[in-house]
Amino acid sequence: MSDATPLQRTPLYDAHVALGGQMVPFAGFEMPVQYKREGGGLEAEHRATRTAVGLFDVSHMGEIVVEGPDAIAEVDGLVSNDVRALGDGEACYALLCHPHGGVVDDLFVYRLSAERVLIVVNASNIQKDFEHLRAHARQPERIVNRSADFAQVAVQGPQAKALLALVAPGAALEAPRNRISLHGFAGHDVLVATTGYTGEAGYELYCPPSAAPALWQALLEAGAPLGVAAVGLGARDTLRLEASYALYGHELRDDIDPFEARVGWAVKLEGRSFVGSEALVARKAAGPTRRLCGLQMQDRGIARADYPVLHGGEVVGHVTSGTHSPTLGLPIAMALLPAALAKLGTEVDVDLRGRTRRAVVVKLPFYSRG
Amino acid sequence: MNIPSELHYTSDHEWARQTAEGVQVGITAFAAEQLGAVVFVELPKVGDRIAAGGAFGQVESTKSVSDLYAPLSGKVVAVNAALESAPEQVNDDPYGAGWMITLAPDDANAVAGLLDADAYRALIG
């Protein structure tokens, strides 16, 4: 991000500042990394999401809408998962791939109707994805970047359902995961999706930017007796890392394919043709040469993103993400390693700023709600 | 912000306390708050020599890892081994149980050359 590009603010900027949000640049937006106040901070926000309910402003995410009589077939030809299998109000996780099979972005595809598909993409990739989609679409003009028309608030945690029942009574809160439905809130249309990025049950709410401050405030107020906390990007990252969800730019990149990143389950090749599918058929048949692994440190210290991983004294891979897990009280990391080393129990070394520390390959995810 | 008046400080947010055994060193409440919850503290061994301004260890929080800088030159005569199992002491009691090392300074008067509490308070604004 060059200094010449002004940072964007979400409609909840003032709400973050009022809550003591420590605002930092992220993907071109000014976002709260944590809230500095009594009872706030990364660890407290993380714990609130695991034990009660967390509120996340994720309005920086991108929304791309595809409309028209052939919208389903169009999107199906662009993403890795089987969009034709979705019914109205159903969603799936998918990858956007290059013709060579590397990952352009990971995203969620929501089928709103037979003629309207919502694609939610990472903030850092909005323009890249939009250009990629248009470049490969049969009818590029029906792919529209609607990011400015949506704010997004995630409500995640064991009390998420109880909270939404207070703020959005009548919404389809019992729906299984990966559903989306329309609900009215204070005269605005809000899309309520049973999706999330924390490893907890919860919702992602898509609303017009003008409705976001009132929705946020209503959630905070109604959630107070439930232990609600506003949660910044810091805890969003520790939560997703415990749940071992990929973050684009770390576990997923242009030069990493879905099989290497262990999201091959979202690649449906049979009877389908989409951008990258030919390369992915070949890559799947050959088997990945690298695999994403969980690492547990045997020595003290945190293996962080981009630290080299060594085996037999040679650099064999790198850490993609690492942190200290607030839930487990341990350092956790994911690393991209040669397939031959990607076996549970394999011992490797991580170069922690010039000091070699022992780590062992462990099962992913680090956390799942039992 | 808690900045005890009897201590001396560096612009790198370490504090120094003259004791009978030597100069005790830790990080300030301001530094601990900036770091967030401390999860690892990496310290030198008793007997190690450290130089003023040099890194003598590292302190790691969920968010980041930071070097610890020696406020003065000398030999390490004590290390707070309790921080290995209880690193949260750095946040909970930065000027007490969260101390890190004690130095036998090469120059017995070096502490007086550090910032006093008023100067440190002015520094962190």
Side-chain angles (χ1 to χ4, degrees):
Chain A
M1 188 61 46
S2 83
D3 291 342
T5 309
L7 291 171
Q8 297 185 66
R9 291 178 175 180
T10 77
L12 296 172
Y13 177 87
D14 290 342
H16 300 314
V17 171
L19 288 168
Q22 191 183 335
M23 309 305 286
V24 299
F26 180 82
F29 286 80
E30 273 185 277
M31 299 298 290
V33 65
Q34 63 174 345
Y35 297 87
K36 300 201 93 174
R37 63 202 169 102
E38 197 63 30
L42 190 158
E43 284 77 15
E45 294 162 22
H46 182 109
R47 273 193 297 277
T49 308
R50 288 274 180 256
T51 60
V53 54
L55 282 192
F56 304 72
D57 177 15
V58 277
S59 301
H60 58 310
M61 303 284 286
E63 289 83 10
I64 293 171
V65 174
V66 184
E67 281 178 305
D70 213 14
I72 304 299
E74 179 79 278
V75 178
D76 193 68
L78 293 167
V79 305
S80 68
N81 213 334
D82 189 354
V83 177
R84 294 170 308 182
L86 299 177
D88 286 349
E90 293 183 352
C92 67
Y93 175 79
L95 292 316
L96 200 59
C97 291
H98 291 283
H100 59 67
V103 177
V104 177
D105 200 5
D106 65 336
L107 44 77
F108 252 85
V109 177
Y110 297 93
R111 173 172 158 155
L112 301 179
S113 72
E115 300 195 357
R116 193 156 188 256
V117 177
L118 170 66
I119 303 175
V120 177
V121 305
N122 285 299
S124 52
N125 288 335
I126 296 171
Q127 194 58 31
K128 173 191 176 190
D129 292 354
F130 180 60
E131 287 169 9
H132 175 94
L133 288 165
R134 281 214 158 175
H136 293 279
R138 278 172 284 177
Q139 291 184 48
E141 67 284 355
R142 68 180 164 193
I143 294 175
V144 183
N145 180 1
R146 296 276 309 276
S147 300
D149 300 331
F150 287 93
Q152 191 193 152
V153 175
V155 185
Q156 301 277 305
Q159 296 290 342
K161 191 185 292 180
L163 174 52
L164 271 228
L166 296 171
V167 172
L173 303 179
E174 301 293 336
R177 206 165 166 82
N178 295 347
R179 296 292 191 279
I180 190 164
S181 59
L182 195 60
H183 186 76
F185 170 81
H188 295 280
D189 283 348
V190 179
L191 288 165
V192 178
T194 48
T195 47
Y197 192 54
T198 60
E200 300 298 329
Y203 306 89
E204 291 178 314
L205 311 177
Y206 299 88
C207 68
S210 62
L215 178 61
W216 177 266
Q217 192 57 33
L219 289 163
L220 271 185
E221 284 174 14
L226 299 171
V228 73
V231 184
L233 292 179
R236 182 167 162 83
D237 191 52
T238 53
L239 289 159
R240 73 91 193 167
L241 192 39
E242 285 184 349
S244 305
Y245 290 133
L247 173 62
Y248 195 85
H250 291 254
E251 287 71 37
L252 296 170
R253 287 194 324 220
D254 296 302
D255 63 346
I256 298 175
D257 76 40
F259 305 113
E260 293 173 320
R262 291 183 185 268
V263 285
W265 58 269
V267 178
K268 302 285 165 54
L269 294 166
E270 207 165 313
R272 297 184 63 239
S273 173
F274 58 90
V275 180
S277 60
E278 277 179 40
L280 289 171
V281 166
R283 285 184 185 234
K284 188 178 185 181
T289 56
R290 304 177 295 180
R291 293 280 276 172
L292 192 68
C293 298
L295 287 186
Q296 186 176 314
M297 300 305 292
Q298 303 297 287
D299 296 324
R300 287 148 47 80
I302 298 173
R304 295 182 186 273
D306 299 328
Y307 287 6
V309 179
L310 298 89
H311 187 74
E314 300 283 319
V315 174
V316 292
H318 70 278
V319 175
T320 55
S321 297
T323 190
H324 187 268
S325 158
T327 304
L328 304 175
L330 293 169
I332 56 174
M334 294 195 278
L336 196 59
L337 298 181
L341 297 177
K343 295 187 171 65
L344 299 187
T346 301
E347 291 198 338
V348 294
D349 294 310
V350 183
D351 181 345
L352 267 68
R353 307 174 298 280
R355 278 180 267 203
T356 298
R357 292 293 157 86
R358 186 48 59 97
V360 62
V361 174
V362 297
K363 198 158 77 75
L364 293 174
F366 296 104
Y367 169 90
S368 64
R369 178 156 286 279
Chain B
M1 184 61 61
N2 182 15
I3 304 173
S5 58
E6 72 277 15
L7 302 184
H8 287 80
Y9 299 89
T10 71
S11 56
D12 296 313
H13 312 289
E14 278 80 23
W15 56 260
R17 172 189 284 128
Q18 187 73 59
T19 71
E21 292 75 37
V23 177
Q24 201 178 48
V25 176
I27 66 168
T28 66
F30 175 81
E33 190 192 304
Q34 293 295 310
L35 284 167
V38 172
V39 293
F40 290 111
V41 182
E42 185 96 39
L43 297 175
K45 292 187 290 294
V46 170
D48 284 358
R49 286 205 51 80
I50 61 179
F56 72 83
Q58 290 179 333
V59 59
E60 184 147 26
S61 70
T62 307
K63 280 181 292 181
S64 66
V65 56
S66 308
D67 283 325
L68 297 163
Y69 295 102
L72 24 100
S73 300
K75 197 168 87 172
V76 178
V77 295
V79 168
N80 186 359
L83 296 182
E84 193 160 321
S85 56
E88 66 277 9
Q89 302 276 25
V90 175
N91 299 102
D92 296 346
D93 189 9
Y95 302 109
W99 72 279
M100 292 174 174
I101 58 171
T102 302
L103 285 174
D106 294 345
D107 172 359
N109 297 319
V111 172
L114 300 175
L115 303 175
D116 65 14
D118 287 341
Y120 181 65
R121 182 174 287 108
L123 179 82
I124 62 175

PDB file of all heavy atoms in Angstrom, chain A residues 27-50:
ATOM      1  N   ALA A  27      -5.042  -4.028   4.671  1.00  0.00           N
ATOM      2  CA  ALA A  27      -5.642  -4.210   3.338  1.00  0.00           C
ATOM      3  C   ALA A  27      -6.307  -2.930   2.834  1.00  0.00           C
ATOM      4  O   ALA A  27      -7.353  -2.976   2.194  1.00  0.00           O
ATOM      5  CB  ALA A  27      -6.634  -5.373   3.353  1.00  0.00           C
ATOM      6  N   GLY A  28      -5.683  -1.796   3.134  1.00  0.00           N
ATOM      7  CA  GLY A  28      -6.208  -0.534   2.625  1.00  0.00           C
ATOM      8  C   GLY A  28      -7.265   0.108   3.504  1.00  0.00           C
ATOM      9  O   GLY A  28      -7.810   1.159   3.159  1.00  0.00           O
ATOM     10  N   PHE A  29      -7.566  -0.538   4.629  1.00  0.00           N
ATOM     11  CA  PHE A  29      -8.571  -0.003   5.556  1.00  0.00           C
ATOM     12  C   PHE A  29      -7.914   0.311   6.903  1.00  0.00           C
ATOM     13  O   PHE A  29      -6.904  -0.284   7.268  1.00  0.00           O
ATOM     14  CB  PHE A  29      -9.683  -1.028   5.795  1.00  0.00           C
ATOM     15  CG  PHE A  29     -10.618  -1.184   4.641  1.00  0.00           C
ATOM     16  CD1 PHE A  29     -10.270  -1.973   3.545  1.00  0.00           C
ATOM     17  CD2 PHE A  29     -11.850  -0.547   4.640  1.00  0.00           C
ATOM     18  CE1 PHE A  29     -11.139  -2.118   2.470  1.00  0.00           C
ATOM     19  CE2 PHE A  29     -12.725  -0.694   3.573  1.00  0.00           C
ATOM     20  CZ  PHE A  29     -12.367  -1.476   2.480  1.00  0.00           C
ATOM     21  N   GLU A  30      -8.531   1.222   7.635  1.00  0.00           N
ATOM     22  CA  GLU A  30      -8.160   1.444   9.032  1.00  0.00           C
ATOM     23  C   GLU A  30      -9.042   0.552   9.876  1.00  0.00           C
ATOM     24  O   GLU A  30     -10.253   0.767   9.947  1.00  0.00           O
ATOM     25  CB  GLU A  30      -8.424   2.907   9.409  1.00  0.00           C
ATOM     26  CG  GLU A  30      -7.297   3.849   9.106  1.00  0.00           C
ATOM     27  CD  GLU A  30      -7.615   5.241   9.622  1.00  0.00           C
ATOM     28  OE1 GLU A  30      -8.322   5.976   8.907  1.00  0.00           O
ATOM     29  OE2 GLU A  30      -7.175   5.579  10.724  1.00  0.00           O
ATOM     30  N   MET A  31      -8.435  -0.442  10.502  1.00  0.00           N
ATOM     31  CA  MET A  31      -9.217  -1.440  11.238  1.00  0.00           C
ATOM     32  C   MET A  31      -8.710  -1.568  12.674  1.00  0.00           C
ATOM     33  O   MET A  31      -7.529  -1.343  12.939  1.00  0.00           O
ATOM     34  CB  MET A  31      -9.098  -2.806  10.542  1.00  0.00           C
ATOM     35  CG  MET A  31      -9.609  -2.848   9.112  1.00  0.00           C
ATOM     36  SD  MET A  31     -11.358  -2.470   8.934  1.00  0.00           S
ATOM     37  CE  MET A  31     -12.115  -3.936   9.661  1.00  0.00           C
ATOM     38  N   PRO A  32      -9.582  -1.962  13.601  1.00  0.00           N
ATOM     39  CA  PRO A  32      -9.132  -2.157  14.987  1.00  0.00           C
ATOM     40  C   PRO A  32      -8.347  -3.461  15.121  1.00  0.00           C
ATOM     41  O   PRO A  32      -8.838  -4.515  14.725  1.00  0.00           O
ATOM     42  CB  PRO A  32     -10.442  -2.231  15.774  1.00  0.00           C
ATOM     43  CG  PRO A  32     -11.445  -2.731  14.793  1.00  0.00           C
ATOM     44  CD  PRO A  32     -11.017  -2.248  13.427  1.00  0.00           C
ATOM     45  N   VAL A  33      -7.122  -3.399  15.637  1.00  0.00           N
ATOM     46  CA  VAL A  33      -6.363  -4.641  15.860  1.00  0.00           C
ATOM     47  C   VAL A  33      -6.755  -5.232  17.207  1.00  0.00           C
ATOM     48  O   VAL A  33      -6.771  -6.443  17.387  1.00  0.00           O
ATOM     49  CB  VAL A  33      -4.846  -4.405  15.729  1.00  0.00           C
ATOM     50  CG1 VAL A  33      -4.315  -3.466  16.808  1.00  0.00           C
ATOM     51  CG2 VAL A  33      -4.083  -5.725  15.761  1.00  0.00           C
ATOM     52  N   GLN A  34      -7.103  -4.346  18.165  1.00  0.00           N
ATOM     53  CA  GLN A  34      -7.671  -4.772  19.441  1.00  0.00           C
ATOM     54  C   GLN A  34      -8.304  -3.540  20.080  1.00  0.00           C
ATOM     55  O   GLN A  34      -8.127  -2.420  19.591  1.00  0.00           O
ATOM     56  CB  GLN A  34      -6.613  -5.380  20.358  1.00  0.00           C
ATOM     57  CG  GLN A  34      -5.525  -4.401  20.745  1.00  0.00           C
ATOM     58  CD  GLN A  34      -4.546  -4.963  21.773  1.00  0.00           C
ATOM     59  OE1 GLN A  34      -4.815  -5.961  22.409  1.00  0.00           O
ATOM     60  NE2 GLN A  34      -3.415  -4.297  21.920  1.00  0.00           N
ATOM     61  N   TYR A  35      -9.042  -3.768  21.135  1.00  0.00           N
ATOM     62  CA  TYR A  35      -9.695  -2.664  21.844  1.00  0.00           C
ATOM     63  C   TYR A  35      -8.982  -2.480  23.170  1.00  0.00           C
ATOM     64  O   TYR A  35      -8.927  -3.412  23.981  1.00  0.00           O
ATOM     65  CB  TYR A  35     -11.180  -2.947  22.044  1.00  0.00           C
ATOM     66  CG  TYR A  35     -11.916  -3.060  20.734  1.00  0.00           C
ATOM     67  CD1 TYR A  35     -11.993  -4.278  20.067  1.00  0.00           C
ATOM     68  CD2 TYR A  35     -12.491  -1.945  20.124  1.00  0.00           C
ATOM     69  CE1 TYR A  35     -12.635  -4.392  18.846  1.00  0.00           C
ATOM     70  CE2 TYR A  35     -13.141  -2.045  18.906  1.00  0.00           C
ATOM     71  CZ  TYR A  35     -13.211  -3.267  18.274  1.00  0.00           C
ATOM     72  OH  TYR A  35     -13.838  -3.379  17.060  1.00  0.00           O
ATOM     73  N   LYS A  36      -8.409  -1.314  23.365  1.00  0.00           N
ATOM     74  CA  LYS A  36      -7.624  -1.063  24.569  1.00  0.00           C
ATOM     75  C   LYS A  36      -8.515  -0.445  25.634  1.00  0.00           C
ATOM     76  O   LYS A  36      -8.810   0.738  25.596  1.00  0.00           O
ATOM     77  CB  LYS A  36      -6.449  -0.123  24.262  1.00  0.00           C
ATOM     78  CG  LYS A  36      -5.517  -0.698  23.217  1.00  0.00           C
ATOM     79  CD  LYS A  36      -4.148  -0.075  23.277  1.00  0.00           C
ATOM     80  CE  LYS A  36      -3.236  -0.888  24.163  1.00  0.00           C
ATOM     81  NZ  LYS A  36      -1.857  -0.414  24.159  1.00  0.00           N
ATOM     82  N   ARG A  37      -8.978  -1.234  26.504  1.00  0.00           N
ATOM     83  CA  ARG A  37      -9.789  -0.753  27.617  1.00  0.00           C
ATOM     84  C   ARG A  37      -9.851  -1.863  28.650  1.00  0.00           C
ATOM     85  O   ARG A  37      -9.412  -2.988  28.401  1.00  0.00           O
ATOM     86  CB  ARG A  37     -11.200  -0.378  27.153  1.00  0.00           C
ATOM     87  CG  ARG A  37     -11.963  -1.558  26.608  1.00  0.00           C
ATOM     88  CD  ARG A  37     -13.085  -1.132  25.696  1.00  0.00           C
ATOM     89  NE  ARG A  37     -13.609  -2.296  25.010  1.00  0.00           N
ATOM     90  CZ  ARG A  37     -14.721  -2.927  25.324  1.00  0.00           C
ATOM     91  NH1 ARG A  37     -15.462  -2.509  26.312  1.00  0.00           N
ATOM     92  NH2 ARG A  37     -15.127  -3.979  24.659  1.00  0.00           N
ATOM     93  N   GLU A  38     -10.404  -1.536  29.802  1.00  0.00           N
ATOM     94  CA  GLU A  38     -10.544  -2.518  30.867  1.00  0.00           C
ATOM     95  C   GLU A  38     -11.284  -3.740  30.334  1.00  0.00           C
ATOM     96  O   GLU A  38     -12.350  -3.624  29.736  1.00  0.00           O
ATOM     97  CB  GLU A  38     -11.326  -1.871  32.019  1.00  0.00           C
ATOM     98  CG  GLU A  38     -11.206  -2.600  33.332  1.00  0.00           C
ATOM     99  CD  GLU A  38      -9.786  -2.631  33.877  1.00  0.00           C
ATOM    100  OE1 GLU A  38      -9.021  -1.680  33.598  1.00  0.00           O
ATOM    101  OE2 GLU A  38      -9.440  -3.609  34.556  1.00  0.00           O
ATOM    102  N   GLY A  39     -10.696  -4.894  30.516  1.00  0.00           N
ATOM    103  CA  GLY A  39     -11.352  -6.123  30.058  1.00  0.00           C
ATOM    104  C   GLY A  39     -11.220  -6.373  28.564  1.00  0.00           C
ATOM    105  O   GLY A  39     -11.771  -7.337  28.060  1.00  0.00           O
ATOM    106  N   GLY A  40     -10.511  -5.469  27.848  1.00  0.00           N
ATOM    107  CA  GLY A  40     -10.316  -5.668  26.415  1.00  0.00           C
ATOM    108  C   GLY A  40      -8.959  -6.285  26.159  1.00  0.00           C
ATOM    109  O   GLY A  40      -8.339  -6.858  27.036  1.00  0.00           O
ATOM    110  N   GLY A  41      -8.488  -6.135  24.933  1.00  0.00           N
ATOM    111  CA  GLY A  41      -7.203  -6.696  24.563  1.00  0.00           C
ATOM    112  C   GLY A  41      -7.372  -8.030  23.875  1.00  0.00           C
ATOM    113  O   GLY A  41      -8.382  -8.718  24.054  1.00  0.00           O
ATOM    114  N   LEU A  42      -6.369  -8.390  23.098  1.00  0.00           N
ATOM    115  CA  LEU A  42      -6.435  -9.567  22.227  1.00  0.00           C
ATOM    116  C   LEU A  42      -6.893 -10.831  22.966  1.00  0.00           C
ATOM    117  O   LEU A  42      -7.823 -11.503  22.521  1.00  0.00           O
ATOM    118  CB  LEU A  42      -5.053  -9.769  21.595  1.00  0.00           C
ATOM    119  CG  LEU A  42      -4.895 -10.787  20.472  1.00  0.00           C
ATOM    120  CD1 LEU A  42      -3.669 -10.462  19.637  1.00  0.00           C
ATOM    121  CD2 LEU A  42      -4.831 -12.205  20.965  1.00  0.00           C
ATOM    122  N   GLU A  43      -6.247 -11.144  24.089  1.00  0.00           N
ATOM    123  CA  GLU A  43      -6.557 -12.408  24.768  1.00  0.00           C
ATOM    124  C   GLU A  43      -7.991 -12.418  25.300  1.00  0.00           C
ATOM    125  O   GLU A  43      -8.696 -13.422  25.196  1.00  0.00           O
ATOM    126  CB  GLU A  43      -5.569 -12.672  25.904  1.00  0.00           C
ATOM    127  CG  GLU A  43      -4.202 -13.159  25.431  1.00  0.00           C
ATOM    128  CD  GLU A  43      -3.325 -12.051  24.880  1.00  0.00           C
ATOM    129  OE1 GLU A  43      -3.647 -10.855  25.107  1.00  0.00           O
ATOM    130  OE2 GLU A  43      -2.323 -12.351  24.207  1.00  0.00           O
ATOM    131  N   ALA A  44      -8.417 -11.292  25.877  1.00  0.00           N
ATOM    132  CA  ALA A  44      -9.780 -11.216  26.421  1.00  0.00           C
ATOM    133  C   ALA A  44     -10.812 -11.317  25.296  1.00  0.00           C
ATOM    134  O   ALA A  44     -11.861 -11.962  25.443  1.00  0.00           O
ATOM    135  CB  ALA A  44      -9.960  -9.923  27.200  1.00  0.00           C
ATOM    136  N   GLU A  45     -10.508 -10.687  24.162  1.00  0.00           N
ATOM    137  CA  GLU A  45     -11.436 -10.738  23.024  1.00  0.00           C
ATOM    138  C   GLU A  45     -11.525 -12.159  22.474  1.00  0.00           C
ATOM    139  O   GLU A  45     -12.598 -12.647  22.103  1.00  0.00           O
ATOM    140  CB  GLU A  45     -10.962  -9.759  21.942  1.00  0.00           C
ATOM    141  CG  GLU A  45     -11.049  -8.299  22.396  1.00  0.00           C
ATOM    142  CD  GLU A  45     -10.218  -7.348  21.557  1.00  0.00           C
ATOM    143  OE1 GLU A  45      -9.890  -7.681  20.401  1.00  0.00           O
ATOM    144  OE2 GLU A  45      -9.887  -6.249  22.070  1.00  0.00           O
ATOM    145  N   HIS A  46     -10.368 -12.818  22.423  1.00  0.00           N
ATOM    146  CA  HIS A  46     -10.320 -14.205  21.963  1.00  0.00           C
ATOM    147  C   HIS A  46     -11.170 -15.096  22.881  1.00  0.00           C
ATOM    148  O   HIS A  46     -12.010 -15.861  22.403  1.00  0.00           O
ATOM    149  CB  HIS A  46      -8.853 -14.665  21.965  1.00  0.00           C
ATOM    150  CG  HIS A  46      -8.619 -16.055  21.476  1.00  0.00           C
ATOM    151  ND1 HIS A  46      -8.013 -16.325  20.276  1.00  0.00           N
ATOM    152  CD2 HIS A  46      -8.926 -17.254  22.027  1.00  0.00           C
ATOM    153  CE1 HIS A  46      -7.948 -17.646  20.123  1.00  0.00           C
ATOM    154  NE2 HIS A  46      -8.495 -18.226  21.177  1.00  0.00           N
ATOM    155  N   ARG A  47     -10.951 -14.942  24.188  1.00  0.00           N
ATOM    156  CA  ARG A  47     -11.679 -15.783  25.151  1.00  0.00           C
ATOM    157  C   ARG A  47     -13.180 -15.517  25.095  1.00  0.00           C
ATOM    158  O   ARG A  47     -13.981 -16.437  25.199  1.00  0.00           O
ATOM    159  CB  ARG A  47     -11.162 -15.534  26.569  1.00  0.00           C
ATOM    160  CG  ARG A  47      -9.958 -16.391  26.923  1.00  0.00           C
ATOM    161  CD  ARG A  47      -9.674 -16.344  28.425  1.00  0.00           C
ATOM    162  NE  ARG A  47      -9.328 -15.006  28.854  1.00  0.00           N
ATOM    163  CZ  ARG A  47      -8.098 -14.495  28.760  1.00  0.00           C
ATOM    164  NH1 ARG A  47      -7.120 -15.211  28.230  1.00  0.00           N
ATOM    165  NH2 ARG A  47      -7.849 -13.272  29.164  1.00  0.00           N
ATOM    166  N   ALA A  48     -13.557 -14.249  24.927  1.00  0.00           N
ATOM    167  CA  ALA A  48     -14.987 -13.919  24.850  1.00  0.00           C
ATOM    168  C   ALA A  48     -15.640 -14.662  23.684  1.00  0.00           C
ATOM    169  O   ALA A  48     -16.772 -15.142  23.789  1.00  0.00           O
ATOM    170  CB  ALA A  48     -15.177 -12.413  24.716  1.00  0.00           C
ATOM    171  N   THR A  49     -14.928 -14.776  22.566  1.00  0.00           N
ATOM    172  CA  THR A  49     -15.490 -15.459  21.403  1.00  0.00           C
ATOM    173  C   THR A  49     -15.606 -16.962  21.649  1.00  0.00           C
ATOM    174  O   THR A  49     -16.564 -17.596  21.221  1.00  0.00           O
ATOM    175  CB  THR A  49     -14.617 -15.192  20.158  1.00  0.00           C
ATOM    176  OG1 THR A  49     -14.421 -13.787  20.030  1.00  0.00           O
ATOM    177  CG2 THR A  49     -15.270 -15.747  18.908  1.00  0.00           C
ATOM    178  N   ARG A  50     -14.643 -17.531  22.374  1.00  0.00           N
ATOM    179  CA  ARG A  50     -14.683 -18.973  22.659  1.00  0.00           C
ATOM    180  C   ARG A  50     -15.729 -19.319  23.726  1.00  0.00           C
ATOM    181  O   ARG A  50     -16.275 -20.425  23.723  1.00  0.00           O
ATOM    182  CB  ARG A  50     -13.304 -19.453  23.137  1.00  0.00           C
ATOM    183  CG  ARG A  50     -12.238 -19.507  22.058  1.00  0.00           C
ATOM    184  CD  ARG A  50     -12.270 -20.827  21.295  1.00  0.00           C
ATOM    185  NE  ARG A  50     -11.239 -20.866  20.254  1.00  0.00           N
ATOM    186  CZ  ARG A  50     -11.489 -20.711  18.953  1.00  0.00           C
ATOM    187  NH1 ARG A  50     -12.725 -20.526  18.516  1.00  0.00           N
ATOM    188  NH2 ARG A  50     -10.514 -20.749  18.073  1.00  0.00           N
TER     189      ARG A  50
END
